[in-house]
Amino acid sequence: METILGIDLGTTNSEVSVIRDKEIIVVEKDGRKLLPSVVGVDPAGNLLVGHTARNQAILYPERTIKSIKRLMGENVKVKLGNREYSPPEISAMILKTLKTNAEEILSQKFSKAVITVPAFFNDTQREATRLAGELAGLNVVRIINEPTAASLCYETDPDSNSTGESKPETILVYDLGGGTFDVSIVRAEAGVIEVLASHGDTHLGGDDFDQLLFDHVCDNYKKLTKVDLREIPVAVSRIMQAVEAAKIELSTSPFAIIKEEFITGRDGLPLHLEMEIDRGDYERMIFHLLDKTIACLNEALEDANLRPSEIDKIIMVGGASRTPLIHELIENRMGMTPHGEIDPDLCVTMGAAIQGGLIAGTEVGRVLVDITPHTLGIHVISDENIYHFAPLIKRNTPIPCRKSDVYYKTFKEQKTVAVTIYQGEHNDVRQNMCIGEFWLEGLSVESASPEILCQFDLDINGILHVTAIEKSTGLTSEIVVENALSAREHKANENFKNELKQLFHENDEAALVSEVRVSKDDKIEELSISGVDDLLLSQLNQLSSEQYATYSEELKTVRKGLKMLGGNLKTNTEDVNDSIKKIMAAIQQGNKETAKKLSAELDDLLYYLDDSL
Ligand code: AMP
């Protein structure tokens, strides 16, 4: 049985894969699965395809050809060195390189391929692609749409209903690559995938984000040094690479540092470049472009005559679709979390290989990826909610993974923060499962910067390393949560056991006892408190001396309430708890008047309850 290559011939990058022993293998050459779709000739006239061609593109644009896909189907010639080529001829050089790489890595000859094209390609563009394949020595057994390939990749094992028939699905494929964007709506039924609508912008992609970052860096550098780096070709090439790396870093970190030593010179002295880019600033820079993609998405929905609720699944394709803000915008618009767990750079080539397997009659297994089944994050106090859950690693993220974000101290004098780690999907931590907690103590009170960086590292075995770092001083604290992925089940069982005990009136004090510090003057009071949630206790621990002084009367009442809860109070415990929480919230918000009023009400209640004990 002949193996058919699956090829994604992209505008920026191209990839090739095959099915072997039911599994999809993406060809990797020199540790890289992506081959830049760039062709060039070096000064000696040798042909360059891929990384080497891309690396020389900025220095020798006259000897390099990028984005040839945009010209496919047009009756034009492009100049390379001292010869002219048609777009299919240039594309054939990329395809031939992919074929040769596959043969070398897999030690097998290939003569057939399935090649993908954008859904909006017309017949002439498709024919030009077929011709490119033939010029490269490949029999192109089928040309398929990129969104179709992506859907196949997510659909190798379609759900079946009770009669064994596959269930039809409407899928939205959002594809944002380096230089092009398209969004398609497809209908998949019994292995047949039909494109219902497709919209896009052939000049919008991650490269535009790089350009905006590049301008930002050059403008700021010029302000600081009066040197315009845009005029220095070597500097341009280095900064272009650095901003792309920074952009990728910003997909997982709240800031990225661009550092290029000896970027240029002035008066015989070297000049360096060092700049920090904040994710918030970057997102403001690219927002108008992302907004355009959402407008295209709306048009595609309109064309297909569908409402967001009629879409069953959203698939994210293309390297730039990893940008977290895009996921957020799509989730807001569509009311569902998009899928990006299968590598968005590779799912089109993998889908093409699956199609090749189906044509050849090869058995194809499901595409398997290790993902986190639950969202992991921390508790933060926000303006709206003192129990706010801030997710770091979202559900369905492939593992291993690393994500970090920045948080702020509540007030300048704060010397300690509690990092409480939760697992779950609710935006209120109380509805999620606490899986660990640690403290970052000894924070600087002098530093003007209140930023605390929190980093989650989740490995393939479900071991989660959480690190908290005070950005201004480097002060670090960390914890390892041994089984972050299945801890939920364990915790849920424990909770249920406790619930059951209460239902059967077994008063298991030990399980409900917490140790708490409620005094700031170093006098530690140990209280046995049943029914008081840990959050409240950790909030008390975090109060500053200033807050203790300002709210001493209110805190006296809070303490009295806590003591009664820990004592023999059997009725109205929820009212007392609730009232304490409200007072604490008012203290956190700095609302003295409300805190005072609430504490007077609690005092009255406690007086009444004390009497009835
Ligand atoms: P593609 O054309 O699908 O290969 O996508 C390439 C584009 O994706 C380039 O602009 C890359 O810089 C961009 N890209 C790759 N990885 C990431 C990432 N993690 N976050 C944001 N952009 C990325």
Side-chain angles (χ1 to χ4, degrees):
M1 201 185 301
E2 192 167 3
T3 309
I4 301 174
L5 295 176
I7 297 179
D8 172 8
L9 182 61
T11 310
T12 319
N13 293 301
S14 297
E15 303 84 25
V16 58
S17 51
V18 295
I19 308 282
R20 199 179 248 190
D21 301 329
K22 289 204 260 178
E23 264 183 46
I24 305 171
I25 301 172
V26 181
V27 173
E28 185 172 333
K29 177 92 192 289
D30 303 325
R32 291 152 160 166
K33 292 177 176 164
L34 271 54
L35 178 79
S37 306
V38 186
V39 176
V41 283
D42 70 8
N46 298 312
L47 180 70
L48 307 171
V49 180
H51 291 93
T52 42
R54 191 179 84 156
N55 292 346
Q56 70 154 24
I58 289 170
L59 293 179
Y60 308 111
E62 70 288 356
R63 282 200 258 118
T64 318
I65 293 170
K66 289 168 80 179
S67 308
I68 194 66
K69 186 168 172 178
R70 293 208 172 111
L71 298 179
M72 291 294 269
E74 285 188 28
N75 192 11
V76 290
K77 292 274 183 190
V78 288
K79 199 160 184 284
L80 183 62
N82 45 20
R83 262 202 66 183
E84 286 199 333
Y85 297 93
S86 69
E89 285 170 339
I90 297 292
S91 292
M93 296 175 193
I94 299 165
L95 291 171
K96 180 96 179 161
T97 309
L98 292 172
K99 175 179 182 286
T100 314
N101 288 351
E103 289 176 343
E104 189 190 314
I105 302 298
L106 301 167
S107 310
Q108 189 182 339
K109 287 277 170 209
F110 297 102
S111 65
K112 290 184 180 171
V114 168
I115 305 181
T116 60
V117 293
F120 61 80
F121 256 27
N122 60 29
D123 282 349
T124 321
Q125 291 166 307
R126 284 166 201 261
E127 265 323 298
T129 307
R130 190 183 292 278
L131 173 62
E134 274 158 24
L135 293 173
L138 287 165
N139 169 12
V140 183
V141 292
R142 197 163 303 172
I143 298 271
I144 64 167
N145 291 319
E146 287 159 8
T148 300
S151 309
L152 271 175
C153 198
Y154 275 88
E155 293 293 298
T156 46
D157 188 14
D159 286 344
S160 293
N161 61 26
S162 54
T163 58
E165 292 159 14
S166 63
K167 210 167 79 190
E169 262 196 317
T170 310
I171 305 167
L172 186 141
V173 183
Y174 177 102
D175 184 349
L176 186 63
T180 59
F181 165 69
D182 50 90
V183 56
S184 307
I185 298 174
V186 303
R187 182 126 185 104
E189 188 166 11
V192 178
I193 298 170
E194 179 199 357
V195 179
L196 302 181
S198 189
H199 262 274
D201 185 331
T202 48
H203 286 87
L204 172 63
D207 298 349
D208 298 303
F209 304 171
D210 297 349
Q211 189 60 46
L212 289 168
L213 272 176
F214 174 83
D215 288 338
H216 171 80
V217 169
C218 291
D219 290 346
N220 277 331
Y221 197 77
K222 197 171 170 191
K223 259 188 226 150
L224 291 170
T225 64
K226 309 257 179 306
V227 175
D228 191 353
L229 293 170
R230 291 182 184 88
E231 290 166 4
I232 310 160
V234 182
V236 170
S237 160
R238 284 175 61 190
I239 299 168
M240 266 314 199
Q241 290 191 17
V243 292
E244 187 186 6
K247 172 189 74 175
I248 291 171
E249 173 75 19
L250 288 170
S251 285
T252 50
S253 305
F255 51 84
I257 301 199
I258 292 181
K259 194 170 175 185
E260 292 289 316
E261 290 188 343
F262 308 111
I263 190 78
T264 185
R266 190 174 49 194
D267 307 330
L269 290 172
L271 284 179
H272 308 300
L273 163 68
E274 185 163 351
M275 212 173 278
E276 185 179 298
I277 316 263
D278 178 88
R279 178 151 67 197
D281 292 340
Y282 168 63
E283 289 179 341
R284 275 184 285 281
M285 264 179 240
I286 61 167
F287 187 82
H288 65 287
L289 297 177
L290 300 189
D291 208 30
K292 259 189 181 179
T293 71
I294 299 296
C296 283
L297 182 152
N298 290 336
E299 284 178 61
L301 282 172
E302 220 168 275
D303 278 5
N305 204 9
L306 290 169
R307 288 188 303 271
S309 57
E310 291 172 289
I311 300 291
D312 298 306
K313 190 187 274 175
I314 302 169
I315 299 178
M316 303 298 275
V317 179
S321 76
R322 291 193 185 92
T323 311
L325 182 59
I326 299 176
H327 282 248
E328 231 175 85
L329 294 176
I330 293 184
E331 195 159 340
N332 287 345
R333 172 70 187 102
M334 302 293 293
M336 85 179 81
T337 311
H339 285 266
E341 59 268 25
I342 300 181
D343 191 329
D345 276 316
L346 305 179
C347 74
V348 170
T349 176
M350 287 159 86
I354 292 169
Q355 181 68 74
L358 293 173
I359 294 169
T362 321
E363 216 183 318
V364 186
R366 212 183 151 82
V367 180
L368 291 176
V369 269
D370 284 310
I371 50 159
T372 59
H374 315 291
T375 299
L376 299 167
I378 60 166
H379 168 214
V380 298
I381 298 170
S382 73
D383 288 345
E384 296 87 38
N385 182 4
I386 59 165
Y387 300 110
H388 184 73
F389 178 53
L392 270 125
I393 299 180
K394 293 257 183 85
R395 180 166 62 164
N396 287 343
T397 302
I399 46 177
C401 64
R402 166 181 292 181
K403 289 274 162 73
S404 58
D405 214 336
V406 83
Y407 304 94
Y408 300 89
K409 292 199 290 191
T410 314
F411 41 90
K412 193 168 179 281
E413 294 73 21
Q414 194 175 340
K415 290 189 188 145
T416 305
V417 288
V419 181
T420 319
I421 304 141
Y422 284 85
Q423 182 195 70
E425 310 310 319
H426 207 284
N427 59 12
D428 185 317
V429 286
R430 291 168 299 177
Q431 307 296 325
N432 295 333
M433 208 55 72
C434 176
I435 57 167
E437 183 178 47
F438 68 103
W439 300 78
L440 182 60
E441 288 172 304
L443 297 170
S444 156
V445 287
E446 277 95 46
S447 163
S449 156
E451 293 167 304
I452 312 277
L453 184 73
C454 185
Q455 180 168 302
F456 275 35
D457 265 291
L458 182 62
D459 77 7
I460 195 83
N461 301 311
I463 298 171
L464 176 70
H465 288 254
V466 181
T467 315
I469 307 163
E470 185 178 32
K471 203 172 161 218
S472 59
T473 61
L475 177 78
T476 301
S477 183
E478 59 194 338
I479 194 178
V480 176
V481 180
E482 279 303 331
N483 206 339
L485 300 183
S486 63
R488 187 195 179 106
E489 249 169 70
H490 169 73
K491 275 272 188 179
N493 288 344
E494 286 305 304
N495 280 0
F496 180 67
K497 273 194 230 161
N498 283 331
E499 216 180 293
L500 215 57
K501 273 182 186 159
Q502 284 190 348
L503 283 174
F504 283 82
H505 308 294
E506 288 175 27
N507 199 4
D508 186 351
E509 281 292 337
L512 298 167
V513 166
S514 299
E515 189 181 271
V516 61
R517 283 182 285 157
V518 288
S519 165
K520 270 279 152 168
D521 49 11
D522 284 336
K523 194 175 132 259
I524 295 174
E525 295 182 35
E526 286 188 9
L527 297 173
S528 294
I529 300 177
S530 58
V532 180
D533 66 325
D534 291 345
L535 260 168
L536 194 55
L537 305 178
S538 69
Q539 273 173 20
L540 274 164
N541 275 337
Q542 287 183 58
L543 293 177
S544 68
S545 319
E546 201 183 312
Q547 280 172 310
Y548 266 87
T550 315
Y551 297 97
S552 61
E553 283 308 310
E554 289 79 4
L555 287 168
K556 230 184 250 170
T557 315
V558 165
R559 218 172 305 180
K560 193 169 151 197
L562 287 173
K563 276 190 176 160
M564 281 178 69
L565 283 172
N568 43 3
L569 188 64
K570 291 279 178 284
T571 59
N572 295 70
T573 52
E574 271 209 359
D575 296 346
V576 174
N577 228 328
D578 228 48
S579 175
I580 292 174
K581 278 181 197 163
K582 284 187 185 146
I583 297 170
M584 289 306 294
I587 294 176
Q588 303 277 5
Q589 287 158 6
N591 197 337
K592 173 79 183 167
E593 223 166 277
T594 311
K596 196 171 164 190
K597 183 172 156 276
L598 290 169
S599 106
E601 283 168 15
L602 176 63
D603 211 22
D604 283 346
L605 177 66
L606 295 178
Y607 182 77
Y608 162 77
L609 293 173
D610 211 7
D611 245 15
S612 62
L613 280 178

